[in-house]
Amino acid sequence: MPGIVLLGGNLRTVVDLTARAEAAGFDSVWTTEFYERSATVSLAAMAQCSKRVTIGSAIAYAVGRSPLVLSAEARDLDELSGGRLILGLGTGTRTMQRDWHGADPDAPALRVEELIPLLRRFWSMDDRGIDHDGRFYSVHLKPTVDVTPPLRTDMPVYLAGVNARMIRAAGTVADGLVGHPIFTRRYVEEVVRPALAAGVDRAGRKEADVALAGYVICSIHDDPAVARAEAKAQIAFYAVVRTYAAVFALHGYQRDVENIRTAWQQRDRVAMIAAVPDELVDVMAITGTPEEVRQRFFEDFRGIYDHALLYSPSFGLSDQRFADNLQAIIETFGH
């Protein structure tokens, strides 16, 4: 059974839908963060309201927190959930790194290649502490009290990536890759899997050591036109980000993306949505009635990922419509 991503709404919605997803038999429930929502707080709430389901961040920011704070938050969450955590990390775009977090936006792949092994050193730290001087992090920690081991020293860490260099980093140091909502089967086959394999080879690992998780945009409505318009709005929102240009370019949609960006600059949401071609929705999303969505998922998206994460559009949706769509996803794919 696929997992489900909870992005949007409020914490009460997160708690309610996590419990419902677990009861419906979903294997995993994931959250993320933005400038108005903390992934770690959401994960804590999810851990408390569930007993079986895997909880994951897809993603939490790998910048803005020190390695010490990030490692401590993760071990607390893993303990709180009874060992059910997948820590998914991402750097965000260069603008987000620089302007939101006040972090150095240079060489983000090198940053995470240093960060993830350092997190693992914190989780396995003994009374000798840590001495580390790297390009991005300097840690000199001498424990002043006994070091209590975490519930798990091998917590799985996934890394989000869109372009080939960051995907190679995931193959090199992470336990999994979190794919972006705009990924398509073609992009996964032609770009993602080869880049992931290159990272695996670079580190002398096996392909089985690195899982591939990925969002699937999913909008369910009795009126298929409404569902399609919601998916278009979410795709348009991502199309304005230049970091994601390679995915659209692979399919030849550069001109459509420029039209979307022009509408964005003019704050014309209607024109943004109208500029998204129907055929682009068909390769990036599943939309329609519950029966149509379920059929399309198993025909067109099954097998792309090791862990498919069903993801409701949130851009332009009210809290109620967002919650209704997530409930529809749970009812459509649950047992």
Side-chain angles (χ1 to χ4, degrees):
M1 181 178 289
I4 188 169
V5 181
L6 309 180
L7 167 61
N10 52 42
L11 283 173
R12 182 174 298 176
T13 299
V14 168
V15 168
D16 179 47
L17 291 171
T18 297
R20 293 187 189 186
E22 179 173 75
F26 280 75
D27 294 327
S28 60
V29 183
W30 303 66
T31 188
T32 184
E33 64 186 354
F34 209 48
Y35 47 69
E36 86 285 30
R37 175 70 70 226
S38 162
T40 54
V41 174
S42 294
L43 285 166
M46 293 158 64
Q48 290 287 76
C49 72
S50 60
K51 296 180 179 179
R52 173 195 57 82
V53 72
T54 295
I55 60 171
S57 54
I59 58 169
Y61 290 123
V63 295
R65 298 177 175 95
S66 71
L68 184 151
V69 169
L70 185 55
S71 66
E73 288 179 338
R75 63 180 281 161
D76 283 350
L77 289 167
D78 200 49
E79 178 182 338
L80 193 62
S81 66
R84 293 183 285 127
L85 176 70
I86 294 177
L87 179 64
L89 300 174
T91 61
T93 65
R94 291 176 62 90
T95 297
M96 293 161 71
Q97 294 168 58
R98 182 187 61 242
D99 296 342
W100 294 15
H101 299 285
D104 179 359
D106 291 336
L110 289 175
R111 173 186 287 274
V112 295
E113 286 175 350
E114 181 181 342
L115 172 63
I116 292 176
L118 185 54
L119 293 177
R120 293 186 174 125
R121 289 182 64 185
F122 274 104
W123 296 328
S124 61
M125 183 177 67
D126 57 22
D127 293 338
R128 291 171 293 181
I130 296 175
D131 279 300
H132 173 84
D133 285 299
R135 173 173 174 178
F136 297 97
Y137 304 105
S138 179
V139 177
H140 300 281
L141 193 161
K142 301 298 182 185
T144 55
V145 298
D146 292 341
V147 177
T148 303
L151 182 64
R152 292 187 295 172
T153 60
D154 58 349
M155 280 178 278
V157 181
Y158 285 22
L159 179 62
V162 174
N163 294 301
R165 178 64 185 90
M166 187 63 78
I167 296 170
R168 286 199 303 272
T172 302
V173 298
D175 300 296
L177 173 75
V178 179
H180 196 276
I182 61 170
F183 276 11
T184 65
R185 179 180 290 275
R186 182 180 173 191
Y187 192 78
V188 169
E189 291 174 349
E190 296 184 16
V191 178
V192 174
R193 289 201 178 274
L196 202 59
V200 167
D201 290 343
R202 174 185 169 200
R205 308 169 74 192
K206 299 177 181 178
E207 288 191 26
D209 294 335
V210 185
L212 177 55
Y215 292 72
V216 179
I217 297 172
C218 181
S219 183
I220 300 174
H221 199 282
D222 290 337
D223 183 345
V226 172
R228 180 167 287 262
E230 291 174 348
K232 282 188 174 186
Q234 194 66 45
I235 292 169
F237 176 74
Y238 290 129
V240 302
V241 182
R242 297 192 182 277
T243 302
Y244 309 146
V247 184
F248 295 97
L250 180 68
H251 291 270
Y253 289 107
Q254 296 96 319
R255 177 161 298 188
D256 299 288
V257 168
E258 287 305 316
N259 292 336
I260 293 168
R261 288 175 180 162
T262 298
W264 170 260
Q265 291 166 358
Q266 296 171 352
R267 295 298 185 263
D268 189 340
R269 184 172 294 183
V270 173
M272 279 179 65
I273 296 172
V276 178
D278 284 327
E279 54 269 25
L280 186 56
V281 177
D282 291 335
V283 298
M284 289 186 173
I286 49 177
T287 70
T289 65
E291 295 77 14
E292 291 170 339
V293 162
R294 185 175 178 84
Q295 181 177 351
R296 278 219 58 222
F297 174 79
F298 287 108
E299 288 181 354
D300 299 339
F301 284 85
R302 193 174 188 179
I304 298 179
Y305 302 113
D306 300 311
H307 307 292
L309 314 179
L310 298 172
Y311 165 62
S312 172
S314 57
F315 181 66
L317 270 65
S318 67
D319 285 353
Q320 186 60 56
R321 171 57 192 147
F322 171 78
D324 288 347
N325 191 50
L326 282 168
Q327 180 60 30
I329 292 172
I330 292 170
E331 292 174 354
T332 299
F333 290 91
H335 58 52

